[in-house]
Amino acid sequence: MNTIYLDHQATTPVDPRVLEAMTPFFTDHFGNPHANTYVRALHARRAAEDARQDVAAAVGAKAKDLVFTSGATESNNLAILGIAAAARGVRKRVVTQATEHRSVLDPIASLSEDGFEVVTIGVGHDGIVDLAALSQAIDAKTLLVSIMLVNNETGVVQPIAEIAKICQMAGALLHCDCAQALGKVPVNVKALGVDLASFSAHKAYGPKGIGALYVKNLRKAPIRPLFRGGGQEGGLRPGTLPVPLCVGFGVAARLAAHEQAAFAARAMRLQERLCMGIREAVPQVRLNGHPENRAAGCLSICFPGARSDALIDAFTGIDVSTGSACEATKTRASHVLKAMRCSRADADATIRMSIGRFTTEDDVDRIISIIKREANP
Ligand code: PMP
Protein backbone atom coordinates (compact mmCIF):
# COMPACT_ATOMS: atom_id res chain seq x y z
CA MET A 1 0.00 0.00 0.00
CA ASN A 2 1.48 3.26 -1.08
CA THR A 3 -0.49 5.63 1.11
CA ILE A 4 1.08 7.72 3.86
CA TYR A 5 -0.23 6.59 7.23
CA LEU A 6 -1.14 9.54 9.43
CA ASP A 7 -3.64 8.06 11.89
CA HIS A 8 -1.36 6.90 14.69
CA GLN A 9 -3.98 7.76 17.33
CA ALA A 10 -6.22 5.04 15.85
CA THR A 11 -3.43 2.48 15.96
CA THR A 12 0.27 2.08 15.22
CA PRO A 13 2.19 -0.46 13.16
CA VAL A 14 3.99 -3.11 15.19
CA ASP A 15 7.63 -2.09 15.51
CA PRO A 16 9.91 -4.70 13.82
CA ARG A 17 11.83 -5.05 17.11
CA VAL A 18 8.56 -5.95 18.84
CA LEU A 19 7.58 -8.47 16.19
CA GLU A 20 10.98 -10.12 16.33
CA ALA A 21 10.70 -10.60 20.09
CA MET A 22 7.16 -11.99 19.81
CA THR A 23 7.67 -14.52 17.01
CA PRO A 24 9.34 -17.37 18.98
CA PHE A 25 6.43 -17.31 21.43
CA PHE A 26 4.01 -18.28 18.65
CA THR A 27 6.22 -21.17 17.54
CA ASP A 28 8.86 -22.64 19.87
CA HIS A 29 7.78 -21.30 23.26
CA PHE A 30 4.03 -21.84 23.00
CA GLY A 31 3.53 -23.36 26.45
CA ASN A 32 0.66 -22.44 28.73
CA PRO A 33 2.24 -20.06 31.24
CA HIS A 34 -0.06 -21.32 33.99
CA ALA A 35 0.93 -24.99 33.67
CA ASN A 36 3.59 -26.03 36.15
CA THR A 37 4.86 -29.49 35.35
CA TYR A 38 7.31 -28.86 32.49
CA VAL A 39 9.97 -26.41 31.35
CA ARG A 40 8.07 -25.19 28.26
CA ALA A 41 5.41 -23.72 30.52
CA LEU A 42 7.96 -22.26 32.88
CA HIS A 43 9.70 -20.57 29.97
CA ALA A 44 6.41 -18.98 28.83
CA ARG A 45 5.61 -17.88 32.39
CA ARG A 46 9.04 -16.27 32.82
CA ALA A 47 8.61 -14.40 29.53
CA ALA A 48 5.20 -13.07 30.58
CA GLU A 49 6.56 -12.00 33.97
CA ASP A 50 9.59 -10.30 32.37
CA ALA A 51 7.16 -8.47 30.09
CA ARG A 52 5.09 -7.37 33.09
CA GLN A 53 8.30 -6.06 34.65
CA ASP A 54 9.12 -4.13 31.46
CA VAL A 55 5.65 -2.56 31.18
CA ALA A 56 5.71 -1.68 34.89
CA ALA A 57 9.17 -0.10 34.65
CA ALA A 58 8.07 1.92 31.60
CA VAL A 59 5.26 3.56 33.59
CA GLY A 60 6.95 3.84 37.00
CA ALA A 61 4.89 1.04 38.60
CA LYS A 62 5.72 -2.15 40.50
CA ALA A 63 5.16 -5.32 38.45
CA LYS A 64 2.91 -6.73 41.19
CA ASP A 65 0.52 -3.80 40.69
CA LEU A 66 -0.04 -4.50 37.00
CA VAL A 67 -2.74 -6.75 35.52
CA PHE A 68 -2.70 -7.72 31.85
CA THR A 69 -5.98 -7.16 29.99
CA SER A 70 -7.11 -7.25 26.35
CA GLY A 71 -6.59 -3.50 25.89
CA ALA A 72 -7.55 -0.12 27.25
CA THR A 73 -11.29 -0.71 26.75
CA GLU A 74 -11.16 -3.63 29.15
CA SER A 75 -8.79 -1.81 31.53
CA ASN A 76 -11.17 1.16 31.72
CA ASN A 77 -14.17 -1.10 32.33
CA LEU A 78 -12.31 -3.13 34.93
CA ALA A 79 -11.14 0.00 36.75
CA ILE A 80 -14.54 1.70 36.81
CA LEU A 81 -16.94 -1.23 37.21
CA GLY A 82 -14.50 -3.17 39.41
CA ILE A 83 -14.06 -0.30 41.89
CA ALA A 84 -17.81 0.38 41.91
CA ALA A 85 -18.62 -3.30 42.50
CA ALA A 86 -16.37 -3.38 45.57
CA ALA A 87 -17.67 -0.09 46.99
CA ARG A 88 -19.23 -0.19 50.42
CA GLY A 89 -20.43 2.79 52.38
CA VAL A 90 -21.31 6.36 51.65
CA ARG A 91 -19.08 7.11 48.67
CA LYS A 92 -21.57 6.94 45.82
CA ARG A 93 -20.37 9.68 43.46
CA VAL A 94 -18.30 9.03 40.33
CA VAL A 95 -16.80 12.02 38.53
CA THR A 96 -15.49 12.20 34.97
CA GLN A 97 -15.14 14.80 32.22
CA ALA A 98 -16.85 15.27 28.88
CA THR A 99 -14.02 14.44 26.43
CA GLU A 100 -13.21 10.98 27.80
CA HIS A 101 -13.17 7.97 25.49
CA ARG A 102 -16.44 6.02 25.21
CA SER A 103 -14.86 3.13 27.11
CA VAL A 104 -14.80 5.43 30.15
CA LEU A 105 -18.01 7.40 29.59
CA ASP A 106 -20.23 4.38 28.91
CA PRO A 107 -19.31 2.23 31.95
CA ILE A 108 -19.59 5.31 34.16
CA ALA A 109 -23.02 6.14 32.70
CA SER A 110 -24.14 2.58 33.45
CA LEU A 111 -23.36 3.11 37.14
CA SER A 112 -26.29 5.51 37.50
CA GLU A 113 -28.53 2.42 37.22
CA ASP A 114 -26.74 0.95 40.25
CA GLY A 115 -27.42 3.84 42.60
CA PHE A 116 -24.31 5.91 41.85
CA GLU A 117 -24.44 9.63 41.19
CA VAL A 118 -22.57 10.40 37.97
CA VAL A 119 -21.07 13.87 37.52
CA THR A 120 -19.55 14.86 34.15
CA ILE A 121 -17.44 18.02 34.21
CA GLY A 122 -17.14 20.22 31.14
CA VAL A 123 -13.98 21.40 29.39
CA GLY A 124 -12.90 24.80 28.09
CA HIS A 125 -12.63 25.70 24.41
CA ASP A 126 -9.03 24.46 24.70
CA GLY A 127 -10.16 20.98 25.80
CA ILE A 128 -8.75 21.28 29.34
CA VAL A 129 -11.11 20.14 32.09
CA ASP A 130 -12.70 22.91 34.18
CA LEU A 131 -10.56 22.52 37.33
CA ALA A 132 -12.74 24.77 39.52
CA ALA A 133 -15.87 22.74 38.71
CA LEU A 134 -13.91 19.51 39.13
CA SER A 135 -12.62 20.39 42.59
CA GLN A 136 -16.11 21.43 43.62
CA ALA A 137 -17.54 18.09 42.47
CA ILE A 138 -14.94 15.97 44.29
CA ASP A 139 -16.06 15.64 47.90
CA ALA A 140 -16.27 13.21 50.82
CA LYS A 141 -18.98 11.28 48.95
CA THR A 142 -16.80 10.74 45.88
CA LEU A 143 -15.65 7.20 45.25
CA LEU A 144 -13.83 7.53 41.96
CA VAL A 145 -12.66 10.19 39.52
CA SER A 146 -11.69 9.20 35.96
CA ILE A 147 -9.76 11.68 33.81
CA MET A 148 -7.59 10.79 30.81
CA LEU A 149 -3.99 11.92 30.27
CA VAL A 150 -3.90 12.46 26.47
CA ASN A 151 -7.06 12.92 24.41
CA ASN A 152 -7.44 10.58 21.43
CA GLU A 153 -8.89 13.20 19.08
CA THR A 154 -7.06 16.39 19.97
CA GLY A 155 -3.91 15.25 21.79
CA VAL A 156 -4.75 17.66 24.64
CA VAL A 157 -3.00 16.74 27.91
CA GLN A 158 -4.97 17.07 31.17
CA PRO A 159 -3.29 18.31 34.40
CA ILE A 160 -3.43 14.91 36.11
CA ALA A 161 -0.92 15.62 38.91
CA GLU A 162 -2.98 18.62 39.98
CA ILE A 163 -6.20 16.60 39.83
CA ALA A 164 -4.54 13.84 41.89
CA LYS A 165 -3.93 16.30 44.74
CA ILE A 166 -7.61 17.30 44.77
CA CYS A 167 -8.63 13.62 44.85
CA GLN A 168 -6.18 12.80 47.65
CA MET A 169 -7.53 15.61 49.82
CA ALA A 170 -11.07 14.28 49.41
CA GLY A 171 -10.05 10.62 49.81
CA ALA A 172 -11.33 9.76 46.32
CA LEU A 173 -9.60 7.31 44.00
CA LEU A 174 -8.23 8.62 40.69
CA HIS A 175 -8.27 6.53 37.52
CA CYS A 176 -6.43 7.79 34.43
CA ASP A 177 -6.88 6.47 30.88
CA CYS A 178 -3.28 6.59 29.59
CA ALA A 179 -4.02 4.70 26.34
CA GLN A 180 -2.78 7.56 24.16
CA ALA A 181 0.06 8.65 26.41
CA LEU A 182 2.68 5.90 26.32
CA GLY A 183 5.61 6.97 24.12
CA LYS A 184 4.18 10.43 23.44
CA VAL A 185 4.47 12.13 26.84
CA PRO A 186 6.28 11.07 30.05
CA VAL A 187 4.16 8.56 31.97
CA ASN A 188 4.96 7.78 35.59
CA VAL A 189 2.06 6.63 37.73
CA LYS A 190 3.83 7.75 40.93
CA ALA A 191 4.61 11.25 39.63
CA LEU A 192 1.06 11.55 38.27
CA GLY A 193 -0.30 10.43 41.65
CA VAL A 194 -2.96 8.15 40.17
CA ASP A 195 -4.50 5.10 41.87
CA LEU A 196 -5.43 3.30 38.66
CA ALA A 197 -4.20 3.70 35.07
CA SER A 198 -5.13 2.03 31.76
CA PHE A 199 -2.73 1.18 28.94
CA SER A 200 -2.98 -0.29 25.45
CA ALA A 201 -0.12 -1.86 23.49
CA HIS A 202 -1.39 -1.12 19.97
CA LYS A 203 -1.23 2.64 20.48
CA ALA A 204 2.51 2.30 21.17
CA TYR A 205 3.83 0.06 18.34
CA GLY A 206 2.84 -3.13 20.15
CA PRO A 207 0.28 -5.76 19.13
CA LYS A 208 -3.50 -5.36 19.23
CA GLY A 209 -5.38 -7.35 21.85
CA ILE A 210 -3.33 -6.57 24.93
CA GLY A 211 -3.25 -3.82 27.50
CA ALA A 212 -2.80 -3.41 31.21
CA LEU A 213 -4.41 -1.93 34.27
CA TYR A 214 -2.23 -0.46 37.01
CA VAL A 215 -3.82 -0.64 40.44
CA LYS A 216 -1.88 0.93 43.33
CA ASN A 217 -1.27 -1.67 46.07
CA LEU A 218 -3.24 -4.13 43.98
CA ARG A 219 -3.38 -6.90 46.58
CA LYS A 220 -5.15 -4.70 49.09
CA ALA A 221 -7.13 -2.59 46.60
CA PRO A 222 -10.94 -2.49 46.79
CA ILE A 223 -11.59 -3.83 43.26
CA ARG A 224 -13.58 -6.81 41.97
CA PRO A 225 -13.11 -8.79 38.75
CA LEU A 226 -15.44 -8.49 35.76
CA PHE A 227 -14.96 -12.15 34.79
CA ARG A 228 -14.75 -15.33 36.87
CA GLY A 229 -12.58 -18.26 35.92
CA GLY A 230 -9.22 -19.87 36.55
CA GLY A 231 -7.90 -17.29 38.99
CA GLN A 232 -5.07 -15.95 36.81
CA GLU A 233 -3.80 -12.40 37.43
CA GLY A 234 -4.56 -12.80 41.12
CA GLY A 235 -8.19 -13.57 40.25
CA LEU A 236 -8.77 -10.03 38.97
CA ARG A 237 -8.54 -10.99 35.30
CA PRO A 238 -8.82 -14.74 34.85
CA GLY A 239 -7.94 -16.37 31.51
CA THR A 240 -4.76 -17.77 29.93
CA LEU A 241 -2.22 -15.04 29.35
CA PRO A 242 -1.49 -14.48 25.63
CA VAL A 243 2.27 -14.80 26.05
CA PRO A 244 3.32 -13.57 22.56
CA LEU A 245 1.23 -10.45 23.09
CA CYS A 246 2.61 -9.93 26.61
CA VAL A 247 6.15 -10.20 25.24
CA GLY A 248 5.34 -7.73 22.46
CA PHE A 249 3.79 -5.31 24.93
CA GLY A 250 6.87 -5.55 27.16
CA VAL A 251 9.25 -4.62 24.34
CA ALA A 252 6.89 -1.94 23.00
CA ALA A 253 6.58 -0.32 26.43
CA ARG A 254 10.36 -0.41 26.97
CA LEU A 255 10.99 1.24 23.60
CA ALA A 256 8.20 3.78 24.16
CA ALA A 257 9.71 4.90 27.46
CA HIS A 258 13.33 4.96 26.22
CA GLU A 259 12.51 6.80 23.00
CA GLN A 260 9.75 9.12 24.28
CA ALA A 261 11.82 12.31 24.58
CA ALA A 262 13.49 11.81 21.18
CA PHE A 263 10.13 10.98 19.57
CA ALA A 264 8.46 14.06 21.06
CA ALA A 265 11.24 16.32 19.74
CA ARG A 266 11.07 14.77 16.25
CA ALA A 267 7.27 14.79 16.15
CA MET A 268 7.27 18.46 17.14
CA ARG A 269 9.63 19.34 14.27
CA LEU A 270 7.51 17.40 11.77
CA GLN A 271 4.32 18.90 13.19
CA GLU A 272 5.66 22.43 12.74
CA ARG A 273 6.69 21.65 9.16
CA LEU A 274 3.28 20.11 8.42
CA CYS A 275 1.29 22.95 10.00
CA MET A 276 3.32 25.57 8.19
CA GLY A 277 2.76 23.81 4.86
CA ILE A 278 -0.97 23.39 5.46
CA ARG A 279 -1.29 27.07 6.47
CA GLU A 280 0.39 28.12 3.22
CA ALA A 281 -2.20 26.09 1.29
CA VAL A 282 -5.23 26.94 3.44
CA PRO A 283 -4.50 30.07 5.54
CA GLN A 284 -7.77 29.88 7.50
CA VAL A 285 -7.05 26.44 9.10
CA ARG A 286 -7.24 26.18 12.91
CA LEU A 287 -5.76 23.73 15.37
CA ASN A 288 -8.37 22.45 17.84
CA GLY A 289 -7.30 22.26 21.48
CA HIS A 290 -4.78 23.89 23.78
CA PRO A 291 -1.79 25.27 21.83
CA GLU A 292 0.84 23.99 24.29
CA ASN A 293 -0.68 21.38 26.61
CA ARG A 294 -0.78 18.69 23.95
CA ALA A 295 1.12 15.62 22.86
CA ALA A 296 3.51 16.33 19.99
CA GLY A 297 2.37 15.03 16.62
CA CYS A 298 -1.35 14.79 17.47
CA LEU A 299 -3.28 17.28 15.36
CA SER A 300 -6.99 17.99 15.14
CA ILE A 301 -7.23 20.47 12.28
CA CYS A 302 -10.32 22.42 11.27
CA PHE A 303 -10.60 23.44 7.60
CA PRO A 304 -13.41 26.01 7.99
CA GLY A 305 -16.12 25.75 5.37
CA ALA A 306 -15.06 22.26 4.24
CA ARG A 307 -16.62 18.87 5.02
CA SER A 308 -14.31 16.29 6.53
CA ASP A 309 -15.68 13.38 4.45
CA ALA A 310 -15.03 15.40 1.27
CA LEU A 311 -11.53 16.27 2.56
CA ILE A 312 -10.78 12.62 3.24
CA ASP A 313 -11.82 11.78 -0.34
CA ALA A 314 -9.75 14.66 -1.67
CA PHE A 315 -6.64 13.69 0.30
CA THR A 316 -6.18 10.43 -1.57
CA GLY A 317 -2.87 8.95 -0.63
CA ILE A 318 -3.04 10.04 3.01
CA ASP A 319 -4.61 7.82 5.69
CA VAL A 320 -6.34 10.26 8.05
CA SER A 321 -9.63 10.18 9.91
CA THR A 322 -12.42 12.44 11.04
CA GLY A 323 -11.94 11.57 14.71
CA SER A 324 -12.04 8.53 16.94
CA ALA A 325 -11.88 5.24 15.02
CA CYS A 326 -14.19 3.77 17.64
CA GLU A 327 -16.91 6.18 16.55
CA ALA A 328 -16.18 5.93 12.85
CA THR A 329 -19.48 4.22 12.10
CA LYS A 330 -21.51 6.97 13.75
CA THR A 331 -22.64 9.99 11.83
CA ARG A 332 -23.04 12.26 14.83
CA ALA A 333 -20.46 14.97 15.48
CA SER A 334 -17.53 14.17 17.75
CA HIS A 335 -18.56 14.46 21.41
CA VAL A 336 -15.04 15.75 22.11
CA LEU A 337 -15.28 18.73 19.76
CA LYS A 338 -18.86 19.38 20.88
CA ALA A 339 -17.72 19.51 24.52
CA MET A 340 -15.06 22.05 23.46
CA ARG A 341 -17.91 24.17 22.06
CA CYS A 342 -16.80 23.77 18.45
CA SER A 343 -19.74 24.55 16.15
CA ARG A 344 -21.26 21.59 14.31
CA ALA A 345 -19.92 23.04 11.05
CA ASP A 346 -16.36 23.29 12.45
CA ALA A 347 -16.56 19.80 13.95
CA ASP A 348 -17.69 18.48 10.55
CA ALA A 349 -14.74 20.29 8.95
CA THR A 350 -12.15 18.69 11.24
CA ILE A 351 -9.55 16.10 10.33
CA ARG A 352 -7.37 14.20 12.78
CA MET A 353 -3.75 13.78 11.69
CA SER A 354 -1.17 12.08 13.85
CA ILE A 355 2.53 11.72 13.21
CA GLY A 356 4.19 8.47 14.19
CA ARG A 357 7.56 6.88 14.88
CA PHE A 358 8.14 6.04 11.21
CA THR A 359 6.77 9.24 9.64
CA THR A 360 9.51 10.96 7.63
CA GLU A 361 10.15 14.51 6.45
CA ASP A 362 9.56 13.24 2.94
CA ASP A 363 6.10 11.96 4.00
CA VAL A 364 5.27 15.37 5.45
CA ASP A 365 6.36 17.12 2.23
CA ARG A 366 4.26 14.73 0.13
CA ILE A 367 1.24 15.39 2.37
CA ILE A 368 1.72 19.15 2.03
CA SER A 369 1.91 18.88 -1.75
CA ILE A 370 -1.30 16.79 -1.87
CA ILE A 371 -3.11 19.37 0.30
CA LYS A 372 -1.72 22.26 -1.79
CA ARG A 373 -2.87 20.54 -4.98
CA GLU A 374 -6.39 20.00 -3.59
CA ALA A 375 -6.64 23.51 -2.09
CA ASN A 376 -5.57 25.26 -5.30
CA PRO A 377 -6.71 23.02 -8.17
N1 PMP B 1 -8.96 5.09 25.54
C1 PMP B 1 -8.45 5.90 24.61
C2 PMP B 1 -8.10 7.31 24.98
C3 PMP B 1 -8.26 5.44 23.30
O1 PMP B 1 -7.77 6.25 22.37
C4 PMP B 1 -8.61 4.09 23.01
C5 PMP B 1 -8.45 3.56 21.60
N2 PMP B 1 -9.16 4.30 20.65
C6 PMP B 1 -9.11 3.29 24.01
C7 PMP B 1 -9.27 3.82 25.28
C8 PMP B 1 -9.47 1.85 23.76
O2 PMP B 1 -8.28 1.13 23.59
P1 PMP B 1 -8.25 -0.36 23.04
O3 PMP B 1 -8.34 -0.26 21.55
O4 PMP B 1 -6.93 -0.89 23.51
O5 PMP B 1 -9.40 -1.08 23.65
Side-chain angles (χ1 to χ4, degrees):
M1 239 178 297
N2 210 12
T3 57
I4 302 168
Y5 186 72
L6 210 61
D7 198 17
H8 292 86
Q9 280 167 286
T11 194
T12 56
V14 171
D15 188 297
R17 294 167 288 182
V18 170
L19 184 61
E20 194 189 341
M22 288 172 68
T23 307
F25 291 89
F26 286 110
T27 51
D28 299 344
H29 313 308
F30 60 84
N32 185 321
H34 313 291
N36 54 17
T37 47
Y38 42 85
V39 172
R40 201 186 291 279
L42 188 66
H43 193 85
R45 180 153 75 246
R46 282 214 183 111
E49 291 315 314
D50 287 350
R52 192 191 310 276
Q53 191 73 53
D54 284 341
V55 177
V59 301
K62 293 186 185 128
K64 67 180 177 53
D65 288 344
L66 214 73
V67 176
F68 282 123
T69 63
S70 61
T73 298
E74 186 187 333
S75 299
N76 288 340
N77 274 269
L78 178 56
I80 293 159
L81 302 177
I83 290 288
R88 301 281 173 271
V90 295
R91 290 187 182 262
K92 284 284 184 187
R93 177 177 288 181
V94 178
V95 180
T96 187
Q97 59 94 24
T99 66
E100 291 295 311
H101 191 264
R102 284 277 158 218
S103 59
V104 165
L105 292 176
D106 287 2
I108 288 185
S110 78
L111 291 177
S112 59
E113 289 156 27
D114 299 323
F116 288 89
E117 181 200 358
V118 172
V119 180
T120 307
I121 305 298
V123 298
H125 191 54
D126 58 7
I128 306 280
V129 64
D130 179 344
L131 271 183
L134 187 67
S135 50
Q136 234 176 19
I138 301 171
D139 62 8
K141 286 195 303 233
T142 306
L143 173 70
L144 179 69
V145 177
S146 183
I147 311 279
M148 72 204 320
L149 184 52
V150 176
N151 185 270
N152 50 299
E153 289 188 33
T154 60
V156 165
V157 176
Q158 299 291 353
I160 297 299
E162 225 171 302
I163 295 166
K165 287 194 193 113
I166 301 168
C167 292
Q168 277 153 19
M169 275 189 337
L173 295 170
L174 175 60
H175 165 249
C176 183
D177 178 355
C178 295
Q180 291 285 344
L182 198 57
K184 296 192 188 102
V185 298
V187 180
N188 182 304
V189 293
K190 292 265 155 50
L192 290 170
V194 299
D195 299 288
L196 302 110
S198 301
F199 300 95
S200 175
H202 77 95
K203 306 286 185 183
Y205 307 88
K208 293 171 186 58
I210 186 150
L213 179 67
Y214 159 77
V215 186
K216 188 173 163 188
N217 298 326
L218 173 60
R219 279 188 209 136
K220 293 192 209 136
I223 183 165
R224 294 182 64 172
L226 301 183
F227 315 143
R228 304 285 164 171
Q232 295 93 341
E233 299 294 271
L236 189 55
R237 206 283 189 170
T240 304
L241 279 178
V243 179
L245 303 184
C246 297
V247 169
F249 190 13
V251 178
R254 206 168 59 210
L255 293 173
H258 282 166
E259 298 178 4
Q260 183 272 320
F263 170 74
R266 228 185 107 253
M268 185 52 85
R269 278 199 307 276
L270 292 177
Q271 168 180 327
E272 279 166 4
R273 192 180 181 96
L274 180 62
C275 287
M276 207 172 10
I278 296 177
R279 275 207 185 95
E280 275 172 22
V282 190
Q284 67 274 29
V285 289
R286 282 196 302 270
L287 190 60
N288 295 316
H290 196 284
E292 283 113 39
N293 295 352
R294 55 188 311 122
C298 301
L299 301 168
S300 167
I301 302 179
C302 175
F303 293 78
R307 280 199 55 89
S308 56
D309 44 3
L311 288 174
I312 284 176
D313 286 346
F315 299 164
T316 354
I318 322 172
D319 295 341
V320 287
S321 65
T322 53
S324 168
C326 314
E327 306 203 31
T329 52
K330 297 175 188 161
T331 49
R332 64 170 186 242
S334 142
H335 73 276
V336 172
L337 298 177
K338 204 166 152 195
M340 291 161 66
R341 290 187 292 286
C342 250
S343 68
R344 173 78 201 226
D346 280 356
D348 283 345
T350 291
I351 295 280
R352 176 176 74 170
M353 295 183 171
S354 37
I355 289 161
R357 181 178 287 171
F358 305 113
T359 309
T360 63
E361 240 174 54
D362 190 45
D363 291 336
V364 168
D365 292 345
R366 278 171 59 203
I367 293 162
I368 294 169
S369 66
I370 292 171
I371 295 178
K372 280 191 174 156
R373 192 185 62 214
E374 288 307 322
N376 309 295

